[in-house]
Amino acid sequence: MSSAEHKKMRTCSVLSPFGGQGKTTVVLLTARILEQQGYNVLVVDGNPQSDLSRLLGVIPGRKDDTLLDLIRYDDLAPMEVMYPVEGHPNMRVIPATSKLSEANQYLASLGMGARVLRMRLEPVADIFDVCLIDAPQQDSQLTLTTIGAADSLIMPAEANVKGYQALARALELYAEQKKLGGTQAELLGVVPFRDVWVGYNRTKDCQKWITAMTSLLDGNEELMLPSIRQSEVIKKAITYQTALEEDENLRFPFDKIVEKLTHASSTQHPTPVASN
Amino acid sequence: MPDLQELLEAKRKDWATPDDLSEQPSERSAAKSPSSNPPVETAAPSTQRSAIATKQPSAKEPAPKPEPSEGDHISALLTELDTLPPHNSKLTKFIMRLEPQLADRLNQFCAGPKKLTPEMFVEAILLILDGDEEIEDVLNSEAHQDLKPLLTEQRDGLKALIAHVAQQRAERRSRAGVIRRTLSMAGVDVPK
């Protein structure tokens, strides 16, 4: 029986065509919370900058298999490119190196590159509950294949003019792909990033841009997820592998993403394994 | 409930490459039978991969191919392996070309009609050349007397060759993870 018949894995791509929009932050901290809750989590570093791999402590050697190999070679088992993450037994990462950009040429030559990553991950769809993909930060074939692999999309965007532009482009890309049949993913939501608060109040500038972002969603406020605040605590959580347990406010947007991911309507709902 | 590592290990064992390794290289130009085709969803990328994997056109057609006379299998194989494209994962097929009967035996050893993965093949061939008892019993039967010389006279040479080839491929980077792990399981020293 094929994996597809037992598919339980929900694949979510975290997408933004610009850098510094919070993609890696969302993937990393969401993955940690999911893993803490007992889910089997697969994290895919789709960005040639390979920040996610480095932050997870997985730095492939010159001869090690990475996402590039998985994309290129259809006879390479996905299990062979999955690396364990220290201190996170229920998490695996498919790492990237700067060479990942070489995949663009290959994907372009296929004419059906948007479907490749989805197909490559299919064999493990019955093992993992959630797969989070850190999409690359440019319009490229790699971006299209990460969109094509997804059941759902999350779009983080800085609460400023650059973030607004990034979101506009990401939504455009998503709409194009949907129209062309390159993806069946649903938009799970937009996460404002680096939201600046002073005391109990959000700054006017951030408020302005978040309102503008909501307008890009045709006013659909349900798609506007809780924002990730500008905070040194979050930076430390990323660097020192903590999971924001001590600050509920800062953790809240990630809890909300987890809730969305694990209760999303399509396909089978992931259920956590019994935690020890 | 099995943990993630166990699930992945089980999946790894079940993994079959899309290439039908029971197909003989000499028959590759002929149309594949439906049963030997990879799953539909992998057919297209497989074609593309071949295109990329054979970037060195000269490597596809090994130039002066020496006639493999009896007892000269090793040098023939070496010549072929030298002309392999760097990203060709068909190590097994080239070994099969060396000795079809040995390949058949390996196929049976590795659960009959199931497809072989490269790591299974390398592991199996090393095991056989090391003289696995069960295999020895089979080979000692009358039906397989023709394989005995290969396993007795050329055992050391073949084993060294296979280890050498697998090491080379690991160094060349192609299928490195798979082959390195397999070699390490087989107790062969693999330089990082």
Side-chain angles (χ1 to χ4, degrees):
Chain A
M1 197 172 284
S2 77
S3 298
E5 288 169 70
H6 280 131
K7 177 177 160 66
K8 61 174 178 175
M9 182 170 80
R10 282 195 57 80
T11 305
C12 175
S13 285
V14 182
L15 177 72
S16 173
F18 291 11
Q21 300 299 309
K23 292 185 292 290
T24 306
T25 303
V26 168
V27 171
L28 198 60
L29 296 181
T30 306
R32 274 188 210 153
I33 293 173
L34 281 163
E35 204 251 358
Q36 278 180 343
Q37 294 183 2
Y39 291 100
N40 287 337
V41 185
L42 174 62
V43 172
V44 179
D45 189 352
N47 194 333
Q49 281 192 344
S50 59
D51 291 341
L52 182 63
S53 308
R54 274 197 291 271
L55 287 166
L56 288 170
V58 176
I59 302 169
R62 198 166 51 87
K63 295 171 185 172
D64 289 322
D65 291 322
T66 63
L67 180 60
L68 173 64
D69 303 281
L70 183 65
I71 287 174
R72 270 183 177 168
Y73 305 133
D74 65 354
D75 60 349
L76 179 60
M79 295 74 73
E80 302 296 343
V81 293
M82 287 176 189
Y83 294 74
V85 181
E86 199 180 339
H88 300 279
N90 292 337
M91 193 190 294
R92 290 293 181 279
V93 58
I94 299 180
T97 64
S98 57
K99 288 196 165 193
L100 178 60
S101 46
E102 291 174 16
N104 281 314
Q105 194 184 356
Y106 171 69
L107 289 168
S109 72
L110 290 180
M112 52 175 290
R115 292 183 58 203
V116 169
L117 186 56
R118 187 180 192 88
M119 282 165 15
R120 300 291 195 262
L121 294 175
E122 187 94 345
V124 291
D126 57 341
I127 291 181
F128 290 94
D129 300 300
V130 180
C131 169
L132 291 167
I133 304 175
D134 189 4
Q137 56 187 40
Q138 72 267 32
D139 287 6
S140 64
Q141 291 293 323
L142 267 172
T143 309
L144 300 187
T145 205
T146 56
I147 297 175
D151 300 310
S152 60
L153 294 172
I154 290 176
M155 298 180 185
E158 274 185 304
N160 58 28
V161 62
K162 188 183 166 194
Y164 174 80
Q165 289 172 337
L167 179 61
R169 178 61 196 133
L171 288 167
E172 206 175 271
L173 200 58
Y174 170 50
E176 280 169 9
Q177 284 306 300
K178 199 143 195 180
K179 200 172 168 183
L180 292 168
T183 183
Q184 294 177 336
E186 59 167 329
L187 177 59
L188 223 53
V190 170
V191 186
F193 182 58
R194 292 206 181 107
D195 183 16
V196 183
W197 286 59
V198 180
Y200 292 105
N201 299 303
R202 175 181 278 152
T203 61
K204 282 183 184 175
D205 200 42
C206 284
Q207 183 60 57
K208 182 179 82 177
W209 288 112
I210 289 174
T211 307
M213 287 179 194
T214 311
S215 72
L216 288 175
L217 300 169
D218 296 326
N220 188 349
E221 291 182 3
E222 279 185 18
L223 288 177
M224 192 56 79
L225 301 179
S227 62
I228 300 170
R229 294 192 193 182
Q230 170 97 303
S231 165
E232 286 302 312
V233 179
I234 288 185
K235 285 184 192 168
K236 280 183 188 167
I238 293 168
T239 312
Y240 300 112
Q241 307 264 343
T242 57
L244 296 173
E245 279 99 348
E246 290 167 13
D247 195 323
E248 283 184 11
N249 282 336
L250 291 179
R251 186 181 155 123
F252 182 63
F254 304 102
D255 283 334
K256 202 72 189 170
I257 293 171
V258 166
E259 191 185 310
K260 280 253 183 187
L261 276 171
T262 52
H263 292 90
S265 55
S266 60
T267 73
Q268 207 176 324
H269 296 171
T271 44
V273 293
S275 46
N276 298 326
Chain B
M1 185 172 287
D3 66 13
L4 181 56
Q5 186 59 35
E6 287 169 5
L7 290 169
L8 287 169
E9 284 302 327
K11 180 69 75 174
R12 186 174 279 131
K13 281 178 188 162
D14 288 344
W15 176 262
T17 58
D19 303 311
D20 183 1
L21 296 173
S22 63
E23 183 193 6
Q24 292 300 314
S26 56
E27 295 163 5
R28 283 170 70 186
S29 54
K32 285 182 175 182
S33 67
S35 62
S36 69
N37 270 339
V40 172
E41 67 267 23
T42 56
S46 180
T47 310
Q48 291 298 330
R49 179 189 169 173
S50 304
I52 284 197
T54 52
K55 269 181 184 169
Q56 300 138 300
S58 59
K60 240 185 152 183
E61 301 280 338
K65 190 176 167 187
E67 282 294 314
S69 60
E70 203 171 339
D72 197 26
H73 294 301
I74 293 176
S75 60
L77 180 62
L78 268 179
T79 309
E80 289 207 55
L81 288 166
D82 280 345
T83 56
L84 264 180
H87 288 297
N88 192 316
S89 68
K90 309 289 189 296
L91 170 67
T92 54
K93 286 190 176 178
F94 283 86
I95 297 174
M96 284 176 181
R97 189 180 294 184
L98 169 76
E99 179 52 77
Q101 284 149 313
L102 178 58
D104 288 345
R105 183 84 0 246
L106 282 168
N107 265 324
Q108 286 173 28
F109 172 67
C110 296
K114 258 177 80 174
K115 289 174 183 173
L116 290 177
T117 60
E119 66 268 37
M120 280 166 73
F121 193 96
V122 174
E123 190 179 355
I125 205 163
L126 287 171
L127 189 64
I128 284 175
L129 294 171
D130 260 344
D132 177 75
E133 279 182 19
E134 193 181 335
I135 294 297
E136 288 281 318
D137 289 344
V138 176
L139 292 171
N140 280 331
S141 66
E142 279 189 19
H144 298 288
Q145 286 307 303
D146 49 339
L147 284 180
K148 283 208 83 175
L150 184 72
L151 287 173
T152 50
E153 293 162 24
Q154 297 187 33
R155 174 177 297 179
D156 289 343
L158 267 175
K159 187 181 172 186
L161 172 67
I162 289 159
H164 170 70
V165 168
Q167 277 172 340
Q168 268 192 335
R169 294 180 62 79
E171 281 168 23
R172 283 188 206 161
R173 168 72 191 77
S174 173
R175 314 286 293 149
V178 171
I179 292 171
R180 200 181 315 127
R181 271 189 286 277
T182 311
L183 283 175
S184 138
M185 277 166 61
V188 177
D189 182 38
V190 185
K192 233 340 192 179

